[in-house]
Amino acid sequence: MTTDLAALTLVAAADGLRRRVFSAGELEAACAARRQQADPTLHAFLVETPQRSTAAAVDAALATGESLPPLAGLPIAIKDNLCLTGAPTTAGSRLLAGYQPVRDATVVARLAAQRTNLIGKTNLDEFGMGSSTEHSAFGPTRNPYDLTRVPGGSSGGSAVAVAAGAALAALGTDTGGSVRQPAAYCGLIGLKPTYGRVSRSGLIALTSSTDVVGVLARTARDAAVAFSGVAGRDPDDATSVAALPLDVDALASPNVRGLRIGVIEEAFADVAPEVAGPVRATLLELERLGAAVAPCSLPSSPAGLWAYYVITPAEASTNLARYDGIRYGTPLHEAGPTLAARYAATRGQSFGDEVKRRILLGTFALSAGYHDRYYGEATRVRRILSAEYAVAFNRFDVLASPTTPDVAFPLGSKRDPLAMYREDVNLVGASLAGLPALSVPCGVATGLPVGLHLTGPALAEGQLLTLAAAVETVRGRLPLALAV
Amino acid sequence: MAVSRATLDRMAQLARLRLTAAEAERFRGELSAILEAFDRIRAVPGDAPGAAIERPLKDLRPDKPRQAAEADAILADVPHRTGRSVSVKGGVLTS
């Protein structure tokens, strides 16, 4: 019974709560049991947050017949770069160890307002910089389908929490693929909404022009429910937008007849055959359901990877300048009498290698004499690529590609930074253009999950989730990793 | 693009990062390789959309303040005004 509850979808759990089949307390206990059993090995969580439990309150409300919001009482994990009061928020960094936020991020506050059970903060690559969750200052997270492999990153902790049954869904953040790639590696739906569709207030910034709060869930309907619970205009985020709500119930019977799907040719260039196979087979199945599938070209998409890796360090070097051991963190007084010496020593000792590498790259790209050659060119390519997407969406409703070039790679196998960056080649384009995108499981290769990546025009989350739900009908759902 | 040690040290100083000698040398090599990859973006042809729309400098008016013809019409909609000035609530910093 306990494991069964931890394996429920959000939709099924919400239905079970309302029909009083089980209690919010039992649901919480089931996920907690999975956490206690599996997390010493997986290390998905950095801290648990029992002080934010809503199980008792929700059960009391249900006992009186009170009508509750969709996410009430459901155990959801939060990536540890989203501020949540009552517990440290570290962004996976030694520099922020012990940092206590003064307020919840807007997305956290919205979930709390719905009496969602916020069960803990999950591990991540430091400040969101990475594609493996190996760059956390607090140790790596392991893939529950193969403990010798990475879960992806930077939202690896959130992905593993959901895949291993320790949470029913999780919030992550996606700057250049950090929700979608771990979703692909862990057999989940990973939704990156349109830039601005979800508030960034209270998100510890990495790249302000591409950071988006996203959702990791077990099904398309679950992703829709969780997304609907956090999306919307926020006065505290001037870049946020309002949009029409999703029709979650329509995802139970997805209709893709007539949907025009463009398959990005460049996205298959360096993809392993065992990954390309399930992706192409799924697209054939979608054709049988009535979708119109045809090739599509985004000529600048390969260069988009490098444009992204100029822009993101450039913005990160600015965003992380505030972490000086004075406003955040603890200064190393022994470094010397000057502020400059203390700043440099604190940052030098407290940041991990990937963070320092990107800060140096970003500083270089913005510096006099190199700004036009690197940052100027990167923004030019960004705008060209965004225009190519716009042209493609004149012909197609959705663009498709493999999410990743290969299945989850072994821990410690990508020491070369360039090799790690190349993992994101099919993901960064949607980030640069601010477009919604998701990864949906489409099969298995060598025993590991494979993801199909779907990109839509702005505010097309409903269309993407409809297509993802259709993929689920033809490819089925991957069993959760409950053996750990 | 090869990054010199002097350039790397200068970037670390700008970024307020104290690096060990070993770190500096390692990052110098890594950055050189990464920047070489970044140079591929220069091979993408074409201008960014909208880049060709430029306003010739000769079309700019002289940089001298002038009274806007519509000033009275604009000021008529201002909720609080003092003469031809807009009044706003002051931000107060108290010690």
Side-chain angles (χ1 to χ4, degrees):
Chain A
M1 169 71 162
T2 299
T3 303
D4 291 343
L5 290 181
L8 289 175
T9 64
L10 278 182
V11 171
D15 179 64
L17 281 181
R18 278 151 191 74
R19 292 190 295 114
R20 312 292 299 281
V21 176
F22 45 79
S23 69
E26 288 172 316
L27 198 55
E28 178 184 76
C31 289
R34 279 296 303 146
R35 243 180 357 267
Q36 283 153 23
Q37 179 182 358
D39 213 49
T41 302
L42 297 174
H43 192 43
F45 285 87
L46 293 178
V47 66
E48 296 183 9
T49 52
Q51 67 274 32
R52 301 299 295 259
S53 170
T54 59
V58 167
D59 283 335
L62 287 169
T64 65
E66 183 182 337
S67 175
L68 293 173
L71 293 172
L74 302 182
I76 289 184
I78 307 293
K79 186 178 180 182
D80 200 31
N81 59 352
L82 290 163
C83 290
L84 184 151
T85 56
T89 295
T90 68
S93 180
R94 197 161 41 231
L95 193 139
L96 286 178
Y99 169 68
Q100 296 275 351
V102 297
R103 63 175 183 86
D104 286 341
T106 294
V107 292
V108 171
R110 285 180 174 173
L111 291 178
Q114 297 172 68
R115 285 177 272 183
T116 308
N117 197 345
L118 305 176
I119 58 173
K121 308 298 290 301
T122 55
N123 201 11
L124 68 158
D125 286 298
E126 187 179 5
F127 285 106
M129 299 188 199
S131 304
S132 64
T133 314
E134 292 172 292
H135 297 299
S136 170
F138 307 108
T141 298
R142 295 176 182 274
N143 191 311
Y145 292 99
D146 182 334
L147 299 177
T148 68
R149 294 181 185 256
V150 303
S154 61
S155 306
S158 285
V160 169
V162 179
L168 298 194
L171 293 189
T173 64
D174 192 308
T175 300
S178 291
V179 161
R180 294 164 282 156
Q181 185 242 33
Y185 282 176
C186 294
L188 300 173
I189 300 271
L191 170 66
K192 181 200 88 72
T194 307
Y195 180 81
R197 191 80 192 266
V198 183
S199 172
R200 290 180 298 118
S201 179
L203 162 60
I204 294 175
L206 164 56
T207 304
S208 302
S209 72
T210 70
D211 287 345
V212 182
V213 176
V215 168
L216 292 119
R218 295 169 181 171
T219 67
R221 286 183 76 189
D222 280 8
V225 169
F227 166 69
S228 298
V230 296
R233 178 91 176 88
D234 178 17
D236 288 336
D237 178 0
T239 63
S240 65
V241 297
L244 292 174
L246 297 181
D247 183 355
V248 178
D249 291 335
L251 295 177
S253 305
N255 181 9
V256 299
R257 183 160 295 281
L259 195 70
R260 303 167 300 166
I261 302 174
V263 183
I264 304 171
E265 295 174 333
E266 291 84 2
F268 286 82
D270 295 312
V271 172
E274 57 266 30
V275 168
V279 168
R280 293 201 187 278
T282 302
L283 292 168
L284 275 176
E285 296 280 354
L286 292 172
E287 257 189 319
R288 292 193 192 104
L289 289 180
V293 180
C296 163
S297 176
L298 296 176
S300 302
S301 53
L305 175 67
W306 305 118
Y308 171 82
Y309 273 105
V310 171
I311 290 169
T312 196
E315 293 193 29
S317 69
T318 301
N319 279 327
L320 270 64
R322 71 193 72 182
Y323 301 114
D324 54 15
I326 304 296
R327 288 167 287 179
Y328 300 95
T330 304
L332 294 173
H333 295 287
E334 64 273 20
T338 68
L339 271 178
R342 294 183 190 183
Y343 289 161
T346 302
R347 289 160 59 83
Q349 282 207 25
S350 303
F351 286 146
D353 277 356
E354 183 61 29
V355 171
K356 285 190 275 195
R357 186 179 298 117
R358 293 201 193 189
I359 289 174
L360 288 167
L361 272 173
T363 305
F364 189 92
L366 293 174
S367 65
Y370 298 105
H371 177 280
D372 288 347
R373 175 175 176 170
Y374 292 107
Y375 189 76
E377 284 293 286
T379 54
R380 179 182 69 89
V381 170
R382 179 178 192 173
R383 290 169 68 181
I384 290 171
L385 182 56
S386 297
E388 288 176 3
Y389 273 105
V391 169
F393 286 126
N394 283 333
R395 289 181 57 207
F396 300 103
D397 301 306
V398 176
L399 302 182
S401 68
T403 305
T404 56
D406 209 332
V407 294
F409 49 90
L411 288 156
S413 64
K414 290 196 189 289
R415 301 280 186 212
D416 173 17
L418 285 172
M420 188 71 79
Y421 299 164
R422 288 192 186 98
E423 288 295 306
D424 300 332
V425 64
N426 289 346
L427 303 166
V428 298
S431 300
L432 291 174
L435 300 171
L438 64 77
S439 180
V440 53
C442 68
V444 170
T446 61
L448 293 164
V450 173
L452 167 66
H453 188 256
L454 304 172
T455 306
L459 306 181
E461 285 82 359
Q463 189 162 262
L464 292 178
L465 288 165
T466 298
L467 192 51
V471 170
E472 288 171 348
T473 66
V474 298
R475 302 302 275 178
R477 279 178 54 201
L478 198 70
L480 293 176
L482 300 176
V484 179
Chain B
M1 172 188 163
V3 175
S4 69
R5 179 60 188 269
T7 299
L8 192 284
D9 287 345
R10 174 69 180 139
M11 293 303 126
Q13 182 186 28
L14 286 174
R16 297 176 178 175
L17 282 176
R18 188 176 75 180
L19 304 175
T20 65
E23 279 180 323
E25 191 50 36
R26 178 162 52 85
F27 284 133
R28 188 197 63 74
E30 289 175 352
L31 260 63
S32 298
I34 294 170
L35 290 170
E36 197 174 312
F38 286 176
D39 277 327
R40 294 176 208 175
I41 62 179
R42 298 162 74 199
V44 173
D47 295 323
I53 303 171
E54 291 180 15
R55 189 177 183 188
L57 289 174
K58 64 181 175 62
D59 283 352
L60 295 178
R61 65 172 177 81
D63 188 15
K64 291 179 184 174
R66 63 181 185 193
Q67 195 72 358
E70 308 85 3
D72 287 328
I74 294 169
L75 286 169
D77 285 336
V78 168
H80 305 288
R81 56 186 286 193
T82 304
R84 293 181 70 81
S85 300
V86 177
S87 300
V88 297
K89 284 185 182 177
V92 178
L93 293 175
T94 56
S95 59

